Amino acid sequence: MFTLNLIPSSPLTLSKSTHQYYPIKRIQNPLSFTHSPVFLNKSTPLSSKVCNFNKIHGYPLGKIQALSTKTTHFGNILENPSTKPGSHVPRAAASSELNPEGEAESVEAAEAKSKAKTLQLALVFGFWYFQNIVFNIYNKKALNVFPFPWLLASFQLFAGSIWMLVLWSLKLQPCPKITKPFIIALLGPALFHTIGHISACVSFSKVAVSFTHVIKSSEPVFSVVFSSFLGDTYPLKVWLSIVPIVLGCSLAAVTEVSFNFQGLWGALISNVGFVLRNIYSKKSLQSFKEVNGLNLYGWISIISLFYLFPVAVLVEGSQWVQGYHNAIQTVGKASTFYAWVLLSGIFYHLYNQSSYHALDEISPLTFSVGNTMKRIVVIVSTILVFRNPVRPLNALGSGIAILGTFLYSQATAKKKSSAGEKKS
């Protein structure tokens, strides 16, 4: 008889005997073995022909051990030695062994991706808020000693233009293809952007920063009104959401300590300018969707500079020299004044750049909520820095107006989602 010794870590040897040969196929119940099948008597000496067990019936050791739990399947293996190893392993069993590990890896990957996305969002919002706060603080400091908003607004556009030209020249930002139709399409949005920017700067120079931002929170009112005139329709929820905005802004204006009509009208005209910029951009720039938001804003800044600076020279250019000397005398150090002006220009562009980046990364609803929270953060920060007196009714009006802005963002987001569902 051929006796079989099954040793897991070494090749198996066969020794020839005088006993009758019984093939492995005659084994009727492999389940009766309490251990792995061993057919060799330990007293029998190991000799004769040596062969590798991998060649017996074409199956490696591990497969026979794993499949010996079922008699019928084990018989199939022995009767079909030509079949490839592993082909008799049931797919369900194989998948049951692999799926838990695969699912665990996919869950871990999803969690890691979610954490990375959350961190990225936190950084985007953090930079956006921080840059906006820095701009508002140093813009107001410069205007307090140098009350010429036309020149300061022109410099801020100039700083943004230089910033974009550097990014394009160093290829840190892909430069869009400039064509005559593209420039013509930008003329309208750039004009309204110029109106919105200079009007906001005039308001900042006349009243407290917090008051300007409260009035600027009424921008949704102008957006709904102008869009309705142009044919857009809004549900009742949107119209109801602008009621608290109007009431809150009115209460804040009546109770504002630093109230000034020029400051009020500057903030309101700024809202009109930016709303018309957004509406006009949607119509005139439909054919240039390949241009991303940052490049679009860069070219709007450049064209706006050409709009604004000549008018600034006409409006207040004759007073700049005397105003400069007065500012240096008030501050004490020319370098301090230069730093305020430079920081206002750089961070004006940076916070707008971050807002466009945020809009690319998040949904419009999240952006609207973030923009509402940004106003709250800026208002509180400027009140703390400049120690502006705030009356209780003024704070209440500001809170109502900002709440209305939040409700408006919620209502318009639902309108957009329902419109998208109807199209789909």
Side-chain angles (χ1 to χ4, degrees), residues 83-101:
T83 311
K84 292 181 181 180
S87 60
H88 291 281
V89 179
R91 292 185 179 180
S95 62
S96 64
E97 292 178 2
L98 296 175
N99 279 346
E101 296 180 1

Side-chain angles (χ1 to χ4, degrees), residues 313-356:
V313 174
L314 294 175
V315 172
E316 57 185 24
S318 60
Q319 308 173 53
W320 288 344
V321 175
Q322 184 62 41
Y324 167 77
H325 291 297
N326 293 338
I328 299 301
Q329 187 176 0
T330 303
V331 175
K333 289 183 179 180
S335 59
T336 302
F337 174 68
Y338 296 153
W340 291 353
V341 174
L342 184 62
L343 288 172
S344 73
I346 292 174
F347 279 92
Y348 171 75
H349 178 80
L350 287 180
Y351 97 75
N352 280 287
Q353 177 176 313
S354 296
S355 68
Y356 276 99

Side-chain angles (χ1 to χ4, degrees), residues 44-109:
T44 306
L46 295 174
S47 60
S48 189
K49 300 176 182 179
V50 180
C51 66
N52 191 321
F53 190 70
N54 288 341
K55 297 181 180 179
I56 299 178
H57 297 291
Y59 273 88
L61 171 64
K63 295 295 181 183
I64 293 181
Q65 288 179 335
L67 298 173
S68 64
T69 56
K70 292 190 178 181
T71 307
T72 56
H73 193 63
F74 187 59
N76 286 336
I77 296 175
L78 299 177
E79 290 176 357
N80 299 282
S82 62
T83 311
K84 292 181 181 180
S87 60
H88 291 281
V89 179
R91 292 185 179 180
S95 62
S96 64
E97 292 178 2
L98 296 175
N99 279 346
E101 296 180 1
E103 290 177 0
E105 291 178 0
S106 63
V107 169
E108 291 178 0

Side-chain angles (χ1 to χ4, degrees), residues 24-171:
I24 296 176
K25 187 177 178 181
R26 293 286 301 275
I27 298 173
Q28 298 297 325
N29 187 13
L31 292 174
S32 62
F33 292 103
T34 57
H35 303 288
S36 301
V38 179
F39 302 100
L40 178 65
N41 188 340
K42 293 182 180 180
S43 61
T44 306
L46 295 174
S47 60
S48 189
K49 300 176 182 179
V50 180
C51 66
N52 191 321
F53 190 70
N54 288 341
K55 297 181 180 179
I56 299 178
H57 297 291
Y59 273 88
L61 171 64
K63 295 295 181 183
I64 293 181
Q65 288 179 335
L67 298 173
S68 64
T69 56
K70 292 190 178 181
T71 307
T72 56
H73 193 63
F74 187 59
N76 286 336
I77 296 175
L78 299 177
E79 290 176 357
N80 299 282
S82 62
T83 311
K84 292 181 181 180
S87 60
H88 291 281
V89 179
R91 292 185 179 180
S95 62
S96 64
E97 292 178 2
L98 296 175
N99 279 346
E101 296 180 1
E103 290 177 0
E105 291 178 0
S106 63
V107 169
E108 291 178 0
E111 289 179 354
K113 187 176 181 180
S114 177
K115 290 180 180 179
K117 185 69 175 178
T118 303
L119 178 61
Q120 183 184 13
L121 268 175
L123 290 174
V124 168
F125 274 95
F127 279 119
W128 183 21
Y129 288 10
F130 171 74
Q131 291 160 356
N132 206 303
I133 291 171
V134 173
F135 160 71
N136 280 277
I137 290 174
Y138 286 101
N139 183 60
K140 183 61 177 177
K141 283 187 172 184
L143 287 171
N144 282 342
V145 298
F146 187 74
F148 300 101
W150 289 80
L151 177 59
L152 195 59
S154 299
F155 176 77
Q156 289 161 1
L157 293 174
F158 174 75
S161 301
I162 295 298
W163 184 279
M164 291 305 301
L165 291 174
V166 170
L167 292 182
W168 290 329
S169 62
L170 296 178
K171 296 183 180 180

Side-chain angles (χ1 to χ4, degrees), residues 1-3 12-17 45-51:
M1 181 182 76
F2 285 100
T3 57
L12 193 66
T13 60
L14 301 175
S15 61
K16 191 170 184 179
S17 176
L46 295 174
S47 60
S48 189
K49 300 176 182 179
V50 180
C51 66

Side-chain angles (χ1 to χ4, degrees), residues 259-299:
F259 179 80
N260 179 284
F261 273 109
Q262 284 184 311
L264 174 64
W265 281 108
L268 293 175
I269 294 173
S270 176
N271 286 340
V272 173
F274 287 129
V275 166
L276 291 177
R277 178 199 64 182
N278 297 337
I279 294 174
Y280 200 86
S281 295
K282 292 179 181 178
K283 294 186 176 182
S284 65
L285 297 172
Q286 284 294 325
S287 303
F288 305 98
K289 292 183 178 180
E290 70 278 2
V291 181
N292 63 24
L294 180 56
N295 284 333
L296 189 63
Y297 176 73
W299 277 106

Side-chain angles (χ1 to χ4, degrees), residues 386-400:
F386 296 106
R387 299 181 181 180
N388 299 324
V390 179
R391 296 172 182 172
L393 286 177
N394 183 266
L396 177 63
S398 302
I400 293 173

